[in-house]
Amino acid sequence: MAGLFTIYPTARQLLLLWGNDDLKSMGAVVPLISMALILRVWRRLGWETEGSWWGFAMLAVTVALVYIQSQTLFVVMVNKHWLVQLPPFPVVAIAYTASMVLLFGGWRLLREAWFPVLFMGAVIPIPQSFTNLVDLPLQHASATVARGFAHLLGEQLTQDRLRLMFTPEYGMFIAPGCNGIRGAITLGMAALVVGYLYRFRWWVFAPVVAGAVLLGYLFNFLRLCLLVVYYKLTLQLPWFQVRAKQGDYVIGGVLFVCALLIFFALANKLRRDPADTLPPIADQPVRRPTHARAYLARVAVVLVLAAIFAGDTVHVIRAEKLNTMQVDAAPLPDQLGNWHKVRQWDDRLVTGWIVYTWAEYQSPDLAQKVALGVSPRLSQHDAEICHLARGEDPTWHGHRDIPTPQGVVAVSEAMYNNGALQWLEAASVCQNGRCEQYSGENQHVTMVVAPPEGRLPMQSSRGPVPVLLRVETTDSMTPVEQMRPRLDAALTAFLGQAKLGDTAMPYGHRQ
């Protein structure tokens, strides 16, 4: 537990993910299950403590990767659907668990506990791409099943595909969370653990897991049908109408328990068949620790490493609190070269948190205006990834090095066209007077890289500042090949007189 401070950025992101995403919240129980299964194996091996220093080497590599990840931006998107920040959180969880098992239990424990170590990869049970490819289609399938059952009962509903209205004011909405994916994945994860504990052979293990997932979907469709019956029976009962949500919980809970009973009954039946299970492992002789000093030395090293990163964690949290207390960001300069500011505004969340501070500049020599945005809160950000996540594909993408009074600025550029406007966006990350960000794209893969912050643990520094420049036009009909050079010329002229590194430096969020 103390060692978790060494991978605090990953642990924190996982906690936020579990607390804000219902579909991924089941990953919160995975570390507990893995730990219990590892202790079960370790107990059978007599709590032997013949650990290896190779575990510390693996831990050091994992810690270094996580620390670099917390200071930089390294994102890969495949086919504009599957997005991952390197190293992925499940890989970090597996590497951290394996390193601890190897460090304190040894190679034998690592071999015997291979399943609970790999099971840590389920800390994110559903990848984000799964939502678009599977989750949303299942939402429509669930609505179709419920609508068909309602028609079978003689109910005429509205034409909205996802909304089943029995009266103008009384009805049900088939939300994404109603498609059974959570129940199916929960049963699937339970089947993985049960198959491991019951030691099923692979030709039994695979059908058991697949059957558990299908059983979850089947009972969800049954839940929707029973919910339709509930709505039909309560059309004239106002007391039950205002409690339809609680009724859905009761119906779903009872059906999920029934699904569990069916699953465990079938699993126990397979377990009693000797041909379908692996032979049990004989109990190992009890081994006592033979190198107590080496074991305590490994404990001490982990505690020292954890203390170093715990101090850095306190430093980061303190800096974030001070940063949050700042209500308004400093205004951008009124003049950058011969470009003067014509207006300024902030992009805020509903909580009042400023994401970007913007200013629009115009030169007396050029009619084109250039908008400059800096983020006083974010440490790393790539606008193109956000556009892709919203389904807004760029019409052009590239990377440029633009000369400025402080040297060359490396930016990632992208052109967009929404039918009313056509604009060029250029993104970079500035730190210590230097601005650079690289984004490469081929037919299937988009990769965004920004340099690391370069800060050592517990070292104060000015943090990285995401910078975004935008040049737009109302001419959305001109082809991008002709419009891009015009917008690029305005951007080049602006950066040729703007000291971008100095402009962004006051917004470094870390103190």
Side-chain angles (χ1 to χ4, degrees):
M1 296 298 293
L4 287 176
F5 280 109
T6 60
I7 58 168
Y8 169 77
T10 296
R12 180 187 183 186
Q13 290 298 321
L14 285 174
L15 289 174
L16 292 174
L17 192 66
W18 294 335
N20 295 288
D21 192 325
D22 292 340
L23 191 57
K24 297 179 177 62
S25 61
M26 67 188 76
V29 303
V30 169
L32 301 177
I33 296 173
S34 292
M35 185 168 62
L37 294 177
I38 291 171
L39 293 176
R40 175 178 176 269
V41 175
W42 205 358
R43 178 176 177 271
R44 195 178 72 237
L45 296 180
W47 305 107
E48 63 180 33
T49 54
E50 299 180 358
S52 170
W53 284 103
W54 283 107
F56 182 76
M58 185 185 300
L59 177 64
V61 172
T62 303
V63 170
L65 290 176
V66 171
Y67 189 72
I68 293 174
Q69 179 197 56
S70 68
Q71 297 191 49
T72 189
L73 178 68
F74 190 4
V75 179
V76 176
M77 176 176 284
V78 180
N79 288 331
K80 300 181 180 179
H81 293 293
W82 185 67
L83 184 148
V84 61
Q85 183 174 359
L86 300 179
F89 294 160
V91 174
V92 172
I94 293 174
Y96 176 79
T97 306
S99 63
M100 287 295 180
V101 169
L102 181 57
L103 183 62
F104 294 111
W107 292 102
R108 190 179 182 201
L109 177 60
L110 183 61
R111 288 194 300 269
E112 294 292 334
W114 64 270
F115 175 83
V117 170
L118 293 181
F119 189 66
M120 282 293 291
V123 290
I124 299 182
I126 302 296
Q128 189 63 36
S129 58
F130 191 91
T131 300
N132 296 328
L133 298 178
V134 179
D135 199 20
L136 295 180
L138 281 175
Q139 177 191 7
H140 289 271
S142 300
T144 301
V145 170
R147 180 176 296 279
F149 189 73
H151 288 167
L152 186 64
L153 296 178
E155 290 294 329
Q156 298 299 320
L157 305 176
T158 61
Q159 297 302 313
D160 189 346
R161 294 183 62 188
L162 301 179
R163 192 177 301 276
L164 281 65
M165 300 303 296
F166 293 82
T167 69
E169 295 82 20
Y170 185 50
M172 53 190 287
F173 171 68
I174 308 297
C178 300
N179 58 18
I181 185 65
R182 281 177 285 185
I185 296 301
T186 302
L187 279 173
M189 292 173 62
L192 287 173
V193 176
V194 169
Y196 166 74
L197 293 176
Y198 287 5
R199 306 191 65 81
F200 288 146
R201 297 181 185 272
W202 69 268
W203 60 79
V204 178
F205 189 91
V208 165
V209 175
V213 173
L214 293 176
L215 187 65
Y217 282 126
L218 176 63
F219 270 76
N220 181 71
F221 289 143
L222 181 59
R223 177 186 70 87
L224 290 174
C225 292
L226 291 178
L227 192 59
V228 170
V229 174
Y230 176 92
Y231 273 82
K232 182 175 177 61
L233 294 177
T234 58
L235 284 175
Q236 307 301 326
L237 301 172
W239 189 88
F240 286 98
Q241 291 182 12
V242 296
R243 291 165 177 81
K245 186 175 182 179
Q246 289 78 4
D248 185 17
Y249 289 155
V250 172
I251 293 172
V254 171
L255 288 177
F256 186 76
V257 171
C258 292
L260 284 176
L261 293 176
I262 294 174
F263 167 73
F264 279 106
L266 294 175
N268 281 319
K269 185 179 185 303
L270 292 172
R271 186 187 186 188
R272 287 196 294 267
D273 189 348
D276 290 334
T277 57
L278 294 168
I281 296 178
D283 290 337
Q284 306 295 330
V286 175
R287 296 190 178 187
R288 301 298 181 187
T290 55
H291 305 288
R293 290 184 179 179
Y295 179 80
L296 294 177
R298 293 192 292 271
V299 172
V301 168
V302 171
L303 291 178
V304 170
L305 191 64
I308 293 174
F309 283 91
D312 185 64
T313 297
V314 173
H315 176 74
V316 171
I317 293 175
R318 179 178 176 274
E320 289 178 349
K321 287 184 177 179
L322 292 175
N323 184 52
T324 304
M325 292 170 61
Q326 299 176 4
V327 179
D328 295 318
L332 287 165
D334 293 331
Q335 195 84 15
L336 289 174
N338 64 353
W339 292 72
H340 63 278
K341 183 168 64 177
V342 294
R343 66 187 182 107
Q344 179 164 328
W345 70 98
D346 295 326
D347 279 343
R348 296 175 180 263
L349 299 179
V350 293
T351 58
W353 205 69
I354 300 176
V355 182
Y356 271 91
T357 291
W358 287 90
E360 191 173 57
Y361 292 88
Q362 186 172 13
S363 170
D365 303 328
L366 296 174
Q368 187 69 57
K369 298 177 182 178
V370 176
L372 169 64
V374 296
S375 177
R377 301 292 186 264
L378 302 175
S379 58
Q380 300 289 350
H381 176 257
D382 183 75
E384 186 180 354
I385 295 295
C386 291
H387 283 293
L388 291 173
R390 293 195 298 264
E392 299 171 358
D393 295 338
T395 56
W396 175 86
H397 171 97
H399 179 79
R400 276 216 307 153
D401 294 333
I402 304 176
T404 72
Q406 290 183 295
V408 173
V409 169
V411 297
S412 300
E413 293 186 334
M415 287 281 294
Y416 298 92
N417 192 329
N418 62 7
L421 293 175
Q422 189 169 193
W423 71 94
L424 170 71
E425 285 187 359
S428 189
V429 177
C430 295
Q431 184 180 5
N432 299 326
R434 187 183 63 177
C435 302
E436 56 182 324
Q437 177 171 305
Y438 174 77
S439 179
E441 181 181 20
N442 58 28
Q443 186 177 0
H444 300 289
V445 178
T446 298
M447 182 176 65
V448 181
V449 182
E453 182 181 340
R455 180 186 63 88
L456 296 176
M458 292 185 291
Q459 180 185 16
S460 297
S461 69
R462 286 287 184 179
V465 180
V467 176
L468 189 61
L469 299 111
R470 175 174 171 138
V471 190
E472 65 181 35
T473 176
T474 55
D475 182 1
S476 61
M477 303 303 295
T478 301
V480 63
E481 294 81 8
Q482 300 177 22
M483 182 56 67
R484 183 177 65 82
R486 305 179 197 173
L487 302 183
D488 255 334
L491 180 63
T492 302
F494 173 75
L495 289 179
Q497 299 189 27
K499 296 181 178 180
L500 195 60
D502 288 348
T503 303
M505 190 173 293
Y507 296 87
H509 69 287
R510 188 189 299 282
Q511 303 293 333

